[in-house]
Amino acid sequence: MIWEHKPYHFVSSIGVSEEIETLFRNEFPEETGMLVVNHIVREGPSDQLFQVGDVMISLNDKYVTKFLQIEEVLDESIGEEVRVTVVRGSEMIDITVVVDDLHRITPNEYITISKSTIHNVSYMQALNYSIPCKGITLVSAGYMFLGGGLSKGSILLSLNGEPLPTLTEFIRVISQYTDRSKVVVRYITDKDKNRERVGIIEIDWRWTTAKMWKRVNNVWESNDIEKPTGEFKESSIITSPVRIKNELADFVLSSLVMVTFRTPYIIDGIHGSLFVGTGIIIDSVKGLVVVDKNTVPGVLGDCSISFGASVQIPAKIVFVHPTHYISIVRYDVELLGKTTFKSIELDYDSDPIPGEEKFYVSLGSNQKAFFQSVYISKVQELFVKEGKVPKCRPINEETIRLVKASSSVGGVLVNSDGTAFAQWVAYNTSKDKSYFSGLPYRTIKNVIETFKNTDDIPIVYSLEVEFFVIPLTLARNMGLDEKWIHSIEHSDTIRFRHVLKIRQIMPYTGAYEKLRIGDIIVSINGKLVTSFLEVEDEVYGKDSVDILIVRDQVQLEVTVEVEKLDGIGSDKVIFWSGAWIQDTHRYVLARGVKNEGVYISRWSKGSPAHKYGIRAIHWITHINETPTPNLNEFEEAVQVLEHQSFVRVRVIDIQGRVDVVSLKTDNIFWETSILERQPDATWKRSTIPRNTPLSEH
């Protein structure tokens, strides 16, 4: 219960008589008012006894006008009855109430699970939001609960109908469900306690270690919550594609699905944690689906596929293209049962012409089908500006623009016979907005065909150079030989009169040693190249190539080693002192950065990294005096650090500026852990043992 000091003119207006006011003025000549009940905690000791607006007269038969007087009496009467006399309206009322223990209702234990924190509803929450001081609440809503639509301040009522009155009951109930089980959660929010809400969460035991924390003798101790044994087994369900009663559209819709990707940890320049988009089945026998990287931007996370707006099954991320804006995921075909979903037939040879009529088929975010007749406006080079933060960015893509296309979450462009010639891709811009364009399947033919015809993971052959086009007028001024200009002008196969110029070169590559920004690429292995795709075709399957370039008005021929890239990205992340540490990802390297050390991708609020100034987009080069050039050596350097010890952390930013940060470790609340990708495309978490026993901190 909260008391508020109010002036005499106010208390007299709500019922305090002139005699009582005179009594208090004489008894307390320096006083200007009296104490009035301002708020009562629901279902607390004072609820149903007091009312807001009651005016304090006495406590244990002593007149009271100051908060300190109340505190002194209550502190000496915990668990005992006290007598309170108040004025309510014009009536004097005597009330006997038991004094509760504030320490008893102050949370002294909490649970951490799936990046969420849960504890009992606190006294301050009950007071501020006028709710009973009972039940359990999400202090912070992490991966599992955010996925079900819950947020900070949600008060958990039940899981699958089983009540959750205490943390002990929460552990008992949730421990019944294996990883990836779907569970219905009922809850209210502290700001809207009158309406019950329902969400569906997917149980997560895989991304974090669930712990129960308790304060014992003013020391916080934790124990791992035992997760249930066994695995959640998906059952095979039969469904059918959505239909809109259009022969061509329905034919294509048999190959369209909705893909959802969620990640608990944002690494590799990923720009968010939840993504949804349309995927296209390219092999229904192997369960292969191609989707844009605005839907599946990385390999660390959980992916699922919805079929026919009816069935959702998990999928594994098997390939994220290092240079182009597509990913490939695989689902277990056994889980889908017998169905009419099928592979789409791809057209690699189509050469779209401006003004040509094509057809666009998609699934909206609500999984409703969409079909539209469209006209191609132009085929042009795509350029996405770099943002302030290095993130996923496509390079060297020639894409298709439409005269008018409706908004969507991706889809497919098809010919009149139902063959697909381009993926309708949502490109994320530097300002985190979506820019839609068609990516021809011929651009990624080698990757798709490798997946369809072999069990191998495709290798992407790349010069690791970003190009842009310049017209022949500019190329001539830069020294391009007239022979080559004549070849371009009189070619029957070259559509545009331009050449390729180097915008950026990836460090630590063969091209970085032999080529320079501003070079014009004329030919590769003697063949004239004027498009991105021609470059990719010429380097595919080769260890090195001979490139004719124009540099500073001089023609040169250089031999450049071809890089062989995978579609995995980062396969290891270390969490140390709240900082998320990884190898430098390609979208940082693409900016020409050659910093040594391990890369800081993110940091957690409230962590030592946050407190002492360890920031993202920096590199850690040394721990104390130990160099940390890679993750393995960084792991060795930090695992010997003692709890509550100060550490010299040498960091360098993207501009090469060096700084030293003094960080105090916390091996209790911010233990060091590692996530590593396994050969089966799953992730395994391990924890580095604390260097200092818990009893010593």
Side-chain angles (χ1 to χ4, degrees):
M1 182 169 59
I2 299 296
W3 296 89
E4 184 179 15
H5 190 274
K6 290 289 188 180
Y8 283 124
H9 71 82
F10 176 83
V11 297
S12 63
S13 69
I14 62 172
V16 173
S17 65
E18 184 176 345
E19 291 78 12
I20 294 177
E21 180 180 340
T22 301
L23 172 65
F24 271 72
R25 286 184 181 274
N26 292 333
E27 189 75 21
F28 308 100
E30 296 182 358
E31 188 55 76
T32 60
M34 302 175 71
L35 299 180
V36 181
V37 175
N38 173 261
H39 188 86
I40 300 171
V41 175
R42 291 178 56 189
E43 300 183 23
S46 299
D47 195 18
Q48 307 301 319
L49 296 177
F50 292 84
Q51 293 182 11
V52 173
D54 288 351
V55 182
M56 168 77 81
I57 299 298
S58 65
L59 176 61
N60 281 352
D61 302 324
K62 292 184 179 180
Y63 296 131
V64 173
T65 61
K66 297 184 181 299
F67 301 121
L68 185 59
Q69 293 174 280
I70 297 177
E71 291 179 10
E72 289 175 348
V73 173
L74 296 184
D75 286 345
E76 295 176 356
S77 307
I78 295 174
E80 302 175 358
E81 293 182 344
V82 295
R83 298 180 305 281
V84 184
T85 301
V86 299
V87 171
R88 183 178 298 162
S90 58
E91 183 180 2
M92 191 87 72
I93 299 175
D94 292 323
I95 300 172
T96 300
V97 62
V98 177
V99 179
D100 204 348
D101 185 358
L102 188 59
H103 290 287
R104 184 187 67 82
I105 58 176
T106 298
N108 64 351
E109 57 184 11
Y110 66 93
I111 292 170
T112 53
I113 182 171
S114 190
K115 300 183 68 179
S116 303
T117 302
I118 307 169
H119 65 49
N120 295 324
V121 173
S122 69
Y123 169 71
M124 294 307 299
Q125 283 179 295
L127 189 65
N128 291 333
Y129 297 106
S130 190
I131 57 178
C133 192
K134 65 180 184 180
I136 59 176
T137 179
L138 279 175
V139 184
S140 61
Y143 184 66
M144 177 171 67
F145 288 102
L146 285 175
L150 285 76
S151 59
K152 174 184 176 181
S154 297
I155 298 171
L156 307 180
L157 303 178
S158 67
L159 285 180
N160 272 0
E162 295 195 64
L164 304 173
T166 64
L167 294 179
T168 301
E169 276 299 290
F170 174 83
I171 294 175
R172 183 191 68 80
V173 173
I174 201 168
S175 295
Q176 301 175 43
Y177 301 102
T178 56
D179 193 39
R180 300 185 185 276
S181 299
K182 306 296 191 300
V183 178
V184 176
V185 56
R186 289 188 176 272
Y187 65 100
I188 59 174
T189 65
D190 51 15
K191 297 178 182 179
D192 186 11
K193 58 182 180 295
N194 299 315
R195 290 182 291 182
E196 193 172 286
R197 305 185 184 195
V198 179
I200 299 176
I201 62 173
E202 181 178 282
I203 301 299
D204 168 31
W205 296 105
R206 58 199 175 279
W207 293 115
T208 63
T209 301
K211 293 178 178 292
M212 178 69 172
W213 295 80
K214 292 186 178 182
R215 191 175 67 236
V216 180
N217 297 326
N218 292 323
V219 173
W220 286 97
E221 299 180 356
S222 69
N223 290 294
D224 292 353
I225 297 174
E226 186 176 353
K227 61 183 180 181
T229 57
E231 297 181 359
F232 177 73
K233 294 184 178 180
E234 301 275 357
S235 57
S236 179
I237 303 177
I238 299 175
T239 187
S240 59
V242 295
R243 296 282 184 253
I244 58 175
K245 296 182 179 180
N246 177 285
E247 184 178 356
L248 176 58
D250 290 346
F251 178 80
V252 176
L253 286 168
S254 296
S255 303
L256 267 57
V257 294
M258 185 63 69
V259 180
T260 301
F261 173 78
R262 296 178 60 229
T263 178
Y265 302 107
I266 298 175
I267 64 168
D268 284 355
I270 297 176
H271 57 278
S273 58
L274 172 62
F275 305 86
V276 179
T278 303
I280 290 81
I281 301 173
I282 57 173
D283 192 325
S284 58
V285 176
K286 291 186 174 182
L288 296 174
V289 173
V290 64
V291 66
D292 64 42
K293 276 166 59 172
N294 201 45
T295 302
V296 179
V299 295
L300 194 157
D302 294 315
C303 184
S304 62
I305 301 177
S306 296
F307 294 82
S310 174
V311 175
Q312 186 178 52
I313 61 177
K316 291 183 178 180
I317 304 155
V318 295
F319 190 83
V320 177
H321 205 293
T323 60
H324 295 311
Y325 217 63
I326 65 102
S327 298
I328 294 178
V329 301
R330 174 183 281 132
Y331 63 90
D332 185 349
V333 296
E334 297 297 326
L335 296 179
L336 198 56
K338 294 182 179 180
T339 178
T340 55
F341 280 94
K342 60 181 179 58
S343 310
I344 201 164
E345 184 180 348
L346 300 178
D347 176 10
Y348 297 123
D349 301 320
S350 178
D351 190 12
I353 300 173
E356 188 177 9
E357 183 183 18
K358 297 292 182 179
F359 301 92
Y360 168 54
V361 188
S362 174
L363 294 174
S365 56
N366 57 4
Q367 300 198 41
K368 291 184 178 180
F370 180 82
F371 175 73
Q372 181 183 17
S373 172
V374 294
Y375 290 89
I376 295 173
S377 63
K378 55 186 173 181
V379 179
Q380 66 176 22
E381 299 74 26
L382 176 74
F383 174 67
V384 176
K385 292 182 179 180
E386 292 178 338
K388 182 178 180 181
V389 177
K391 65 178 184 179
C392 180
R393 175 175 167 269
I395 62 171
N396 302 340
E397 289 190 357
E398 188 178 79
T399 62
I400 301 166
R401 298 289 290 165
L402 302 179
V403 173
K404 187 177 182 181
S406 300
S407 60
S408 67
V409 288
V412 64
L413 299 180
V414 300
N415 301 307
S416 58
D417 61 359
T419 56
F421 65 91
Q423 185 105 356
W424 190 242
V425 173
Y427 291 96
N428 185 262
T429 68
S430 59
K431 298 182 179 179
D432 279 339
K433 295 182 178 180
S434 292
Y435 172 93
F436 287 91
S437 197
L439 177 65
Y441 286 118
R442 63 185 179 186
T443 306
I444 52 175
K445 175 182 178 180
N446 293 328
V447 169
I448 291 176
E449 290 303 309
T450 299
F451 266 113
K452 292 176 67 174
N453 299 320
T454 73
D455 293 326
D456 299 329
I457 299 297
I459 295 174
V460 175
Y461 293 83
S462 173
L463 288 177
E464 291 293 77
V465 172
E466 181 180 356
F467 298 105
F468 67 104
V469 299
I470 61 172
L472 292 182
T473 52
L474 184 57
R476 177 180 276 112
N477 293 334
M478 295 184 68
L480 182 61
D481 192 282
E482 290 296 329
K483 178 187 70 171
W484 295 108
I485 293 176
H486 183 272
S487 297
I488 295 172
E489 290 177 340
H490 293 82
S491 172
D492 294 329
T493 59
I494 298 177
R495 182 184 301 175
F496 302 107
R497 294 188 174 186
H498 62 221
V499 293
L500 301 177
K501 186 178 178 181
I502 295 177
R503 174 182 277 120
Q504 291 185 137
I505 307 173
M506 190 77 75
Y508 308 112
T509 63
Y512 194 84
E513 302 298 326
K514 297 294 185 70
L515 302 176
R516 292 176 60 182
I517 292 175
D519 287 352
I520 293 176
I521 304 298
V522 180
S523 69
I524 298 179
N525 288 342
K527 181 178 179 180
L528 176 66
V529 292
T530 61
S531 71
F532 305 141
L533 189 56
E534 288 174 341
V535 172
E536 294 185 12
D537 287 342
E538 289 306 311
V539 303
Y540 182 74
K542 298 180 176 65
D543 294 324
S544 64
V545 290
D546 296 325
I547 304 178
L548 181 65
I549 63 173
V550 175
R551 177 186 299 165
D552 301 331
Q553 295 193 337
V554 177
Q555 285 194 172
L556 303 171
E557 185 166 323
V558 294
T559 299
V560 177
E561 183 181 348
V562 176
E563 303 299 322
K564 300 174 182 63
L565 312 177
D566 61 31
I568 302 302
S570 296
D571 57 6
K572 182 177 181 179
V573 186
I574 298 178
F575 302 92
W576 174 73
S577 292
W580 306 1
I581 312 296
Q582 65 169 109
D583 287 323
T584 305
H585 61 78
R586 65 176 291 104
Y587 305 112
V588 178
L589 292 174
R591 299 195 176 194
V593 178
K594 296 185 67 177
N595 289 346
E596 299 291 338
V598 291
Y599 181 70
I600 306 169
S601 188
R602 306 270 292 196
W603 45 264
S604 299
K605 291 183 178 180
S607 66
H610 178 197
K611 179 179 180 180
Y612 293 101
I614 299 292
R615 292 295 178 260
I617 321 178
H618 283 65
W619 287 257
I620 296 177
T621 63
H622 293 75
I623 293 293
N624 290 326
E625 302 307 315
T626 303
T628 56
N630 54 56
L631 289 178
N632 289 336
E633 294 191 45
F634 178 82
E635 179 183 343
E636 292 177 1
V638 300
Q639 67 182 352
V640 299
L641 299 176
E642 294 183 353
H643 175 63
Q644 297 287 279
S645 62
F646 277 100
V647 182
R648 282 169 44 89
V649 184
R650 190 179 303 172
V651 297
I652 183 171
D653 69 9
I654 200 168
Q655 299 300 328
R657 293 169 294 204
V658 179
D659 193 12
V660 174
V661 176
S662 178
L663 179 146
K664 190 176 184 180
T665 62
D666 185 341
N667 296 342
I668 307 301
F669 296 103
W670 298 95
E671 61 187 4
T672 303
S673 60
I674 302 171
L675 271 178
E676 291 185 276
R677 193 173 191 267
Q678 305 302 301
D680 63 353
T682 61
W683 289 79
K684 181 181 179 181
R685 186 182 187 93
S686 59
T687 300
I688 295 179
R690 287 192 279 250
N691 193 34
T692 301
L694 184 63
S695 59
E696 295 182 14
H697 80 278

